[in-house]
Amino acid sequence: METGDTRYSWYALRTKSRYENTVASHLFARGYESFLPLYKCRRRWSDRSKESELPLFPGYVFCQFNSLDRFPILSIPGVVHVVGVGRTPVSIDESEIAAIQAAVKSGLHRQPCPFLEIGDRVRIEHGPLCGIEGILLGFRGNQRLVLSVTLLQRSVAVQVDEAWVQPTLQHQASGGPLTTQRVS
């Protein structure tokens, strides 16, 4: 929620199981800017298959608000708490939210993946994710860019063309080759 020139930080809201859409709808209705990143998943049953959209970060919805005025957020049905240390909310880095928003907006295939702290940091130089930084790894023969929300210790993998990526300055300074990791 923005008022005048005031721009609030992004926070992660922990929700009850499968309440992400409900919480996002209530936030929108109350005028807050929220973000619920989704991905398409095909589920198979013995008699049919169905494609549905699921949260990339199950149990979480992102929201911009004044952390000193949390009561309207905490009173929304399905909100468990604001993620933080003890009772102190911890904001999410703006660049991490912007990267996830760009990945969702790009339309590229995406899926949840384990949080990674190892691997090569790269910067996308071409394509719809140009300017985004993340960790590059190989996954079943395809290149994936891993975008992380450090506070939640969760990540999202977005399929990218290997020609789009360049090592970041940190990696170039170390002189190491650009490599990928295989995950199964």
Side-chain angles (χ1 to χ4, degrees), residues 106-123:
S106 75
L108 295 172
H109 175 76
R110 56 198 173 273
Q111 66 189 38
C113 73
F115 181 78
L116 300 171
E117 292 189 58
I118 58 172
D120 296 316
R121 289 205 54 86
V122 297
R123 180 178 174 87

Side-chain angles (χ1 to χ4, degrees), residues 12-13 57 60 62 83 92 115 149-155:
L13 305 177
F57 300 94
Y60 296 95
F62 303 104
V83 178
I92 297 172
F115 181 78
V149 176
T150 308
L151 176 65
L152 300 181
Q153 296 286 292
R154 303 237 179 155
S155 300

Side-chain angles (χ1 to χ4, degrees), residues 52-67:
S52 58
E53 287 193 322
L54 300 174
L56 276 170
F57 300 94
Y60 296 95
V61 174
F62 303 104
C63 183
Q64 276 188 316
F65 62 92
N66 179 354
S67 65

Side-chain angles (χ1 to χ4, degrees), residues 15-91:
T15 68
K16 291 181 181 177
S17 180
R18 298 187 180 139
Y19 268 75
E20 299 91 353
N21 288 320
T22 302
V23 169
S25 296
H26 278 274
L27 288 167
F28 178 77
R30 293 185 185 191
Y32 290 96
E33 183 169 350
S34 65
F35 178 49
L36 175 59
L38 303 170
Y39 74 103
K40 290 184 182 179
C41 177
R42 183 168 288 286
R43 301 255 173 137
R44 281 193 107 119
W45 288 272
S46 60
D47 61 335
R48 62 189 163 100
S49 68
K50 179 182 177 184
E51 189 172 275
S52 58
E53 287 193 322
L54 300 174
L56 276 170
F57 300 94
Y60 296 95
V61 174
F62 303 104
C63 183
Q64 276 188 316
F65 62 92
N66 179 354
S67 65
L68 299 176
D69 186 22
R70 298 189 294 274
F71 183 74
I73 301 292
L74 295 172
S75 66
I76 292 174
V79 172
V80 176
H81 64 267
V82 179
V83 178
V85 177
R87 292 182 178 241
T88 307
V90 176
S91 65

Side-chain angles (χ1 to χ4, degrees), residues 115-122 134-138 146 168 170-171 174 177-182:
F115 181 78
L116 300 171
E117 292 189 58
I118 58 172
D120 296 316
R121 289 205 54 86
V122 297
I135 300 169
L136 180 71
L137 49 103
V146 176
T168 61
Q170 289 176 322
H171 192 268
S174 69
L178 178 62
T179 58
T180 60
Q181 293 182 339
R182 181 156 306 280

